[in-house]
Amino acid sequence: IHRQMTEVLRKRGVAPIQTVGADFDPHFHQAVTHEVSAEHKEGEVMEELRRGYMFGDRLLRAAMVKVAKA
């Protein structure tokens, strides 16, 4: 059922927002926590806590993420 629902949404133009490894963008990401990391650059998304979705070029739900800080 989950796979079928995902496929229906994809056909209608709903797509998940790519987060991990991307630079933090407040238009698409909601920073839930910041964590010091030597392995990630400042402002890089380290972890996705809740997936976000786009409908075409419109934001349906922002992704909740953990962001790296120096």
Side-chain angles (χ1 to χ4, degrees):
I1 292 175
H2 182 266
R3 183 176 41 82
Q4 290 174 340
M5 182 65 170
T6 303
E7 184 63 24
V8 167
L9 290 173
R10 187 190 63 75
K11 286 180 180 179
R12 300 279 186 214
V14 175
I17 297 172
Q18 301 301 319
T19 57
V20 177
D23 290 333
F24 176 76
D25 185 348
H27 296 105
F28 301 110
H29 305 127
Q30 179 182 357
V32 176
T33 183
H34 289 82
E35 187 173 298
V36 176
S37 174
E39 300 157 2
H40 301 279
K41 65 181 180 178
E42 176 93 21
E44 181 180 347
V45 175
M46 297 173 53
E47 183 180 345
E48 179 181 75
L49 304 173
R50 185 182 75 185
R51 183 160 291 178
Y53 294 94
M54 298 289 292
F55 179 58
D57 61 345
R58 298 183 66 191
L59 180 68
L60 286 179
R61 179 172 79 177
M64 295 175 81
V65 297
K66 182 191 303 184
V67 181
K69 70 178 190 179

